[in-house]
Amino acid sequence: MEDTVEQPKAHGPHGYSARKDDHVKRLRRIEGQIRGLQRMVEQDEYCIDILTQVSASTKALQSFALSLLEEHLRHCVADAVEHGGPEADDKVAEATAAIARLLRS
Amino acid sequence: MEDTVEQPKAHGPHGYSARKDDHVKRLRRIEGQIRGLQRMVEQDEYCIDILTQVSASTKALQSFALSLLEEHLRHCVADAVEHGGPEADDKVAEATAAIARLLRS
Amino acid sequence: MEDTVEQPKAHGPHGYSARKDDHVKRLRRIEGQIRGLQRMVEQDEYCIDILTQVSASTKALQSFALSLLEEHLRHCVADAVEHGGPEADDKVAEATAAIARLLRS
Amino acid sequence: MEDTVEQPKAHGPHGYSARKDDHVKRLRRIEGQIRGLQRMVEQDEYCIDILTQVSASTKALQSFALSLLEEHLRHCVADAVEHGGPEADDKVAEATAAIARLLRS
């Protein structure tokens, strides 16, 4: 949260900060999809149609995760690599663990 | 919520209707997780923490899908199989296609 | 491939038995892909190209699993449903657990 | 295939080269699992047991992919970042696309 005024733009608090509005908009759309799922269940819609909508929401979440991950690699991980040392290795290991969690979810 | 008393049990509107309240509650929790993600982005939380939360939401969605699918197999597909004929085959093909979409999402 | 004439159709050894040759051919192709991956690693091919080939093999495995699952639902699960009783429920629960493992892998 | 004697170890042809033997061993084990699947189908083993074995093989492939990806980020992507310029961005975009393919497979 070190967002001091002097902070050079390229560093923002985090890699994704520059596109914060896009990300929030995207998440609001996903929130709308989840509310749509609630309505489908309440109105007794056909199970298979609900499952199709679940697949669409999962895809949208994965796609949000990928864009966040790309910015993380481009900024946070790249910064750590430029500074070198053990922190670079830690950042790469941390990103790989996050990718593993996405693959398993 | 059109569950009138006369409705023959085996047909309920759908296999999942008996547990409608559970499903809606589950989806509300997922909706809360998505709103949590919006807050995390707005408050510039660390990318990796956001990705961890995305994995949790995706897992919750998949788990909702699995319980819906189980009820669908237990009721809709089983009913079709008991009636026999080409409809049984169609129902199995339809369920398999839904599972394929979940696997790919 | 309904081996012997006497074999009662509904029981064949399993739902997938009729298409055994297809399944084995499919698995041999996947085995070939895995050997291809070994060659790629041995010949120092580019990491991203190897990852692309891993995705293709995973997709082929998932697609084999889906065709096996479809036959399982169509035969074993349908048989259990026709016989009714707790075994039908068990078969559906068992199939759902297998789908959950595929989703998590 | 450790091309030239002079090749500085840290660069090898690729990030994963240092652990080539590990990777090949791992892929041979996966090849053995795929051959095990062929035997299971030929011996009419129970569909669900085959599906369980497919999940294990898919998991092993994903885990191989993750270790390759980690080395790729640690070496190839880090190198590109140190050299800077558009190539660094390209490498990150390429790695993200590979992760997307893994997620969808």
Side-chain angles (χ1 to χ4, degrees):
Chain A
M1 198 61 69
E2 309 127 61
D3 47 359
T4 60
V5 180
E6 312 87 312
Q7 190 91 48
K9 171 192 154 290
H11 283 273
H14 294 299
Y16 68 81
S17 303
R19 296 181 45 209
K20 222 156 91 166
D21 289 353
D22 281 356
H23 290 317
V24 171
K25 251 182 240 161
R26 214 164 174 171
L27 288 167
R28 286 219 181 102
R29 262 198 304 274
I30 297 173
E31 190 194 331
Q33 288 179 307
I34 307 296
R35 267 201 300 270
L37 280 166
Q38 290 165 36
R39 266 192 309 277
M40 291 179 92
V41 168
E42 272 158 0
Q43 295 169 3
D44 292 307
E45 293 199 21
Y46 185 47
C47 339
I48 295 293
D49 294 337
I50 302 181
L51 290 176
T52 301
Q53 181 62 23
V54 172
S55 298
S57 307
T58 307
K59 238 181 200 139
L61 268 172
Q62 297 270 27
S63 155
F64 162 72
L66 281 168
S67 78
L68 211 68
L69 183 69
E70 180 164 14
E71 291 165 37
H72 180 65
L73 294 175
R74 205 180 291 285
H75 300 280
C76 314
V77 175
D79 276 9
V81 164
E82 272 181 310
H83 285 91
E87 220 214 316
D89 269 4
D90 290 353
K91 285 285 174 198
V92 167
E94 186 190 56
T96 307
I99 297 164
R101 280 192 297 275
L102 287 173
L103 275 175
R104 247 132 241 173
S105 70
Chain B
M1 205 48 85
E2 311 125 61
D3 46 358
T4 61
V5 180
E6 309 87 311
Q7 190 89 48
K9 171 193 155 287
H11 282 272
H14 293 299
Y16 67 80
S17 303
R19 296 182 45 208
K20 223 154 88 165
D21 289 354
D22 281 357
H23 291 316
V24 171
K25 251 181 238 161
R26 213 163 174 172
L27 288 167
R28 287 221 181 100
R29 264 199 303 276
I30 298 174
E31 189 194 331
Q33 288 179 307
I34 307 297
R35 267 202 300 270
L37 281 166
Q38 290 165 35
R39 266 192 309 277
M40 290 179 92
V41 169
E42 271 158 0
Q43 295 169 4
D44 291 308
E45 293 199 20
Y46 184 47
C47 340
I48 296 292
D49 295 336
I50 302 181
L51 290 176
T52 301
Q53 181 62 23
V54 171
S55 297
S57 307
T58 307
K59 239 182 197 135
L61 269 172
Q62 298 270 26
S63 156
F64 163 71
L66 280 168
S67 77
L68 212 67
L69 182 68
E70 180 164 14
E71 292 166 35
H72 180 65
L73 294 175
R74 205 180 291 285
H75 300 280
C76 315
V77 175
D79 276 10
V81 164
E82 273 182 308
H83 284 91
E87 219 213 315
D89 270 3
D90 290 354
K91 285 286 173 196
V92 168
E94 187 191 56
T96 307
I99 298 164
R101 281 193 295 276
L102 287 173
L103 275 174
R104 248 132 240 171
S105 69
Chain C
M1 210 29 93
E2 303 126 61
D3 307 319
T4 63
V5 181
E6 309 85 316
Q7 189 90 52
K9 170 193 156 288
H11 282 273
H14 292 298
Y16 66 81
S17 302
R19 295 183 46 207
K20 221 155 93 164
D21 288 354
D22 280 356
H23 290 318
V24 172
K25 251 183 240 162
R26 214 162 174 174
L27 288 168
R28 284 220 183 100
R29 262 198 305 275
I30 298 174
E31 189 194 329
Q33 288 180 307
I34 307 296
R35 267 201 301 269
L37 280 167
Q38 291 166 35
R39 265 192 309 276
M40 292 179 92
V41 169
E42 273 159 0
Q43 295 170 3
D44 292 308
E45 291 199 22
Y46 186 46
C47 338
I48 296 292
D49 294 336
I50 302 180
L51 290 175
T52 302
Q53 180 63 23
V54 171
S55 297
S57 307
T58 307
K59 238 181 199 137
L61 268 172
Q62 298 271 27
S63 155
F64 163 71
L66 281 167
S67 77
L68 212 67
L69 183 68
E70 181 165 13
E71 293 166 35
H72 180 65
L73 294 175
R74 205 179 291 284
H75 299 281
C76 314
V77 176
D79 277 10
V81 164
E82 273 181 308
H83 285 90
E87 220 214 315
D89 271 3
D90 290 354
K91 285 285 173 197
V92 167
E94 187 190 57
T96 308
I99 297 164
R101 281 193 295 276
L102 288 173
L103 275 174
R104 249 133 238 171
S105 69
Chain D
M1 202 59 70
E2 305 125 63
D3 307 316
T4 62
V5 180
E6 312 85 316
Q7 189 92 47
K9 171 190 155 291
H11 283 274
H14 293 299
Y16 66 81
S17 302
R19 294 182 47 209
K20 221 155 89 165
D21 289 353
D22 281 356
H23 290 317
V24 171
K25 251 182 239 160
R26 215 163 173 171
L27 288 167
R28 285 220 182 101
R29 262 198 304 274
I30 298 174
E31 190 195 330
Q33 289 179 307
I34 307 296
R35 268 202 300 269
L37 281 167
Q38 290 166 36
R39 266 192 309 275
M40 290 178 93
V41 169
E42 274 160 357
Q43 296 170 2
D44 292 307
E45 292 198 22
Y46 185 47
C47 338
I48 295 293
D49 294 336
I50 302 180
L51 291 175
T52 301
Q53 181 63 23
V54 171
S55 298
S57 307
T58 308
K59 236 178 201 141
L61 269 172
Q62 298 271 27
S63 156
F64 163 72
L66 280 168
S67 79
L68 211 68
L69 182 69
E70 180 164 13
E71 292 167 36
H72 180 65
L73 294 175
R74 204 179 292 284
H75 300 281
C76 314
V77 176
D79 277 9
V81 163
E82 273 182 309
H83 285 91
E87 219 214 317
D89 270 3
D90 290 353
K91 285 286 173 196
V92 168
E94 186 190 56
T96 308
I99 297 164
R101 280 192 296 276
L102 288 173
L103 275 175
R104 247 132 241 173
S105 69

